[in-house]
């Protein structure tokens, strides 16, 4: 099923149809934007088609069933018991994040972000006129950990929010419960709120812990953001949700969402989320096997080609954080070679923060035959 090669060109998708805008070339094999070249499960497609046959697409709302399915999903997949009153829907994790920054801090307040990280998590801090404080992750042999001593040293009375990317894009870590607990204790001691972006939580190869599920105390200072977008390849349907046990946090967040008028969700977004959470689990299990296989395939391919490109197998996501530092050429030269010689579009590591220098992010969620073609073009020139 995941081996099927589907032409995505001319479907108005960013990954294929916006190559020229972002890279200046049309003829690249795209391995960048974090969506997958796999069809969403039939159960989701069928539900969308059935709804489309109704023919009327007025304003949509979440039903009791939608809330229940999110609750069941959290319990089943992440052993986290949540209640209906803790959930609110919104048209994307990034819009939710931006709204949360404004809801829980003022201009000039300090927001801590762990780099290298998915760039909207820091761009949005600046766009909302908050002060960005970076708490770079520590790297050893491609394995990243949190630097909690550095974190403590950066806290001031103006620090309002700690941003967590959990699992972490692009370094692929699934944070252990102990790491999360240590981080949360620092936040609790210093009266800092946690915003946890957990959009990759289902795409994991080891046990994932949602930070808010650890204890009631931690849950009380946390706003969790999530969506079925990455898991089921329905990111373009813009249906996300925020969770907080703390009703004051949730109400303050909802007020900001209303102010920004971003609470209205595409009717197909709800349909897709419901079908995915109700019927998509078997597909997800098969997807995880395929992704893991593609990750191993990439590792073996680079090894057997004696390539100097290295990466640590991620604990989550299909995003490979490729290290090109063994080459004695500049970051910009690597980028130029990837684009002009290998003809592949990877995300530039520097976009994830200054510590992304020397790295490029490869999305391996594509049929293995096409992954193999991309790797062949990369190793030919590296
Ligand atoms: C960590 C992370 N958060 C959020 C998003 C995007 O979320 P949404 O499309 O719901 O705004 C992405 C997409 O790549 C991501 O990697």
């Amino acid at each position: 099923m995941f081996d099927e090669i589907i032409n995505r060109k001319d479907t108005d998708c960013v990954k294929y149809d916006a190559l020229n805008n972002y890279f200046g070339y049309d003829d690249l094999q795209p391995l960048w934007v974090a969506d997958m070249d796999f069809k969403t499960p039939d159960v989701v497609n069928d539900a969308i088609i059935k709804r489309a046959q109704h023919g009327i697409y007025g304003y949509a709302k979440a039903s009791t069933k939608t809330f229940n399915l999110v609750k069941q999903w959290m319990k089943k997949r992440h052993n986290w018991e949540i209640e209906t009153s803790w959930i609110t829907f919104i048209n994307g994790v990034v819009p939710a994040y931006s709204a949360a920054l404004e809801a829980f801090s003022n201009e000039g307040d300090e927001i801590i972000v762990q780099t290298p990280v998915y760039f909207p998590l820091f761009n949005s801090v600046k766009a909302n006129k908050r002060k960005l404080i970076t708490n770079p992750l520590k790297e050893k042999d491609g394995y990243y950990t949190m630097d909690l001593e550095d974190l403590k040293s950066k806290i001031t009375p103006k620090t309002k929010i700690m941003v967590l990317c959990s699992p972490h894009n692009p370094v692929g870590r699934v944070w252990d419960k102990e790491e999360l607990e240590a981080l949360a204790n620092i936040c609790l001691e210093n009266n800092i709120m946690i915003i946890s972006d957990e959009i990759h939580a289902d795409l994991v190869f080891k046990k994932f812990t949602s930070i808010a599920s650890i204890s009631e105390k931690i849950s009380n200072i946390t706003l969790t953001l999530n969506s079925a977008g990455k898991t089921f390849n329905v990111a373009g349907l813009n249906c996300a949700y925020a969770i907080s046990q703390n009703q004051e946090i949730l109400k303050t967040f909802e007020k900001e969402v209303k102010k920004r008028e971003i609470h209205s969700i595409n009717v197909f977004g709800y349909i897709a989320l419901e079908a995915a959470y109700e019927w998509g689990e078997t597909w997800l299990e098969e997807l995880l096997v395929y992704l893991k296989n593609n990750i191993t395939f990439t590792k073996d391919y680079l090894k057997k080609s004696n390539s100097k490109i290295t990466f640590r197998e991620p604990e989550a996501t299909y995003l490979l954080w490729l290290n090109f530092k063994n080459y004695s050429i500049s970051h910009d030269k690597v980028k130029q070679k990837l684009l002009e010689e290998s003809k592949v579009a990877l995300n530039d590591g520097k976009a994830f923060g200054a510590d992304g220098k020397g790295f490029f992010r490869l999305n391996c969620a594509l049929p293995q035959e096409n992954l193999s073609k991309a790797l062949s073009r990369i190793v030919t020139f590296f």
Side-chain angles (χ1 to χ4, degrees):
M1 154 172 63
F2 300 106
D3 280 328
E4 186 186 353
I5 294 177
I6 301 164
N7 184 7
R8 294 184 67 190
K9 265 201 175 141
D10 302 322
T11 60
D12 291 336
C13 71
V14 175
K15 196 179 199 169
Y16 283 75
D17 295 330
L19 282 168
N20 209 316
N21 308 34
Y22 285 88
F23 297 95
Y25 301 89
D26 282 313
D27 57 344
L28 305 174
Q29 188 178 349
L31 302 130
W32 60 308
V33 176
D35 63 27
M36 306 188 278
D37 288 354
F38 309 131
K39 244 189 213 169
T40 194
D42 286 346
V43 286
V44 175
N45 262 334
D46 292 347
I48 289 174
I49 291 164
K50 186 164 169 233
R51 179 63 184 83
Q53 279 165 345
H54 182 258
I56 302 176
Y57 316 114
Y59 297 112
K61 68 180 245 320
S63 65
T64 307
K65 182 177 172 186
T66 331
F67 284 96
N68 284 342
L69 284 166
V70 172
K71 285 192 315 191
Q72 279 169 30
W73 189 259
M74 287 300 148
K75 174 74 186 133
K76 226 178 352 177
R77 301 297 301 184
H78 307 305
N79 197 24
W80 186 22
E81 300 243 18
I82 60 169
E83 297 184 15
T84 298
S85 62
W86 304 6
I87 310 167
T88 191
F89 287 88
I90 182 165
N91 62 5
V93 164
V94 172
Y97 174 67
S98 177
L101 291 179
E102 194 161 339
F104 302 109
S105 64
N106 294 309
E107 274 191 27
D109 279 345
E110 294 170 1
I111 316 290
I112 304 186
V113 176
Q114 296 176 313
T115 55
V117 75
Y118 176 59
F119 31 88
L121 297 188
F122 54 77
N123 285 341
S124 196
V125 172
K126 294 184 226 164
N128 281 286
K129 300 195 175 72
R130 273 59 177 162
K131 192 166 172 205
L132 176 72
I133 306 294
T134 54
N135 167 224
L137 298 171
K138 291 192 287 192
E139 187 239 349
K140 195 169 181 302
D141 299 329
Y143 187 72
Y144 286 79
T145 51
M146 295 187 191
D147 188 345
L148 297 182
E149 287 313 309
D150 176 74
L151 171 64
K152 283 190 225 160
S153 76
K154 289 190 171 155
I155 293 172
T156 77
K158 283 196 146 264
T159 310
K160 291 286 148 42
I161 299 170
M162 177 74 215
V163 180
L164 193 63
C165 191
S166 176
H168 193 98
N169 168 12
V171 309
R173 274 301 315 279
V174 172
W175 305 116
D176 294 326
K177 188 174 170 219
E178 293 69 30
E179 291 175 292
L180 293 170
E181 213 161 9
L183 176 98
N185 283 337
I186 297 172
C187 294
L188 282 164
E189 280 159 22
N190 292 281
N191 205 17
I192 297 170
M193 180 191 169
I194 299 168
I195 300 179
S196 188
D197 175 344
E198 300 186 358
I199 198 166
H200 294 283
D202 300 320
L203 300 176
V204 293
F205 309 110
K206 64 178 257 202
K207 192 188 162 350
F208 166 81
T209 304
S210 181
I211 190 164
S213 73
I214 296 176
S215 74
E216 190 157 342
K217 264 210 251 166
I218 299 173
S219 182
N220 246 314
I221 59 162
T222 304
L223 181 75
T224 305
L225 307 177
N226 210 329
S227 148
K230 299 287 166 203
T231 318
F232 292 98
N233 213 19
V234 290
L237 296 178
N238 304 104
C239 179
Y241 50 90
I243 304 172
S244 186
Q245 175 176 7
N246 182 330
Q247 292 299 292
E248 207 182 305
I249 287 183
L250 204 72
K251 295 293 162 241
T252 308
F253 175 70
E254 281 179 330
K255 211 168 129 196
E256 182 58 40
V257 167
K258 277 237 164 76
K259 191 186 110 191
R260 292 180 172 218
E261 304 291 2
I262 51 173
H263 50 285
S264 185
I265 293 175
N266 183 316
V267 59
F268 293 113
Y270 286 124
I271 296 291
L273 178 141
E274 287 172 10
Y277 282 0
E278 188 165 15
W279 308 110
E281 228 178 340
T282 312
W283 181 90
L284 172 58
E285 294 299 345
E286 289 168 15
L287 170 73
L288 287 170
V289 171
Y290 197 88
L291 291 178
K292 185 75 190 161
N293 198 261
N294 269 3
I295 293 168
T296 313
F297 178 80
T298 307
K299 191 95 190 164
D300 293 347
Y301 199 105
L302 293 177
K303 195 170 167 207
K304 81 166 188 271
S305 317
N306 291 323
S307 171
K308 289 193 271 180
I309 302 168
T310 59
F311 76 96
R312 182 97 183 194
E313 294 192 36
E315 296 169 343
T317 82
Y318 43 75
L319 305 166
L320 310 181
W321 189 230
L322 302 187
N323 184 336
F324 286 79
K325 289 182 183 172
N326 285 332
Y327 294 92
S328 51
I329 52 173
S330 69
H331 181 95
D332 290 346
K333 185 72 191 162
V334 173
K335 185 173 176 170
Q336 190 191 353
K337 279 170 73 64
L338 285 169
L339 293 175
E340 294 178 4
E341 295 174 4
S342 301
K343 290 279 169 199
V344 289
L346 270 56
N347 286 88
D348 186 334
K350 284 208 283 195
F352 299 83
D355 23 15
K357 191 173 167 195
F359 293 87
F360 287 80
R361 193 191 73 176
L362 183 147
N363 176 344
C364 75
L366 71 166
Q368 203 166 94
E369 188 183 328
N370 280 350
L371 174 62
S372 173
K373 281 185 191 154
L375 293 171
S376 150
R377 292 148 84 146
I378 293 172
V379 298
T380 301
F381 297 98
F382 287 93

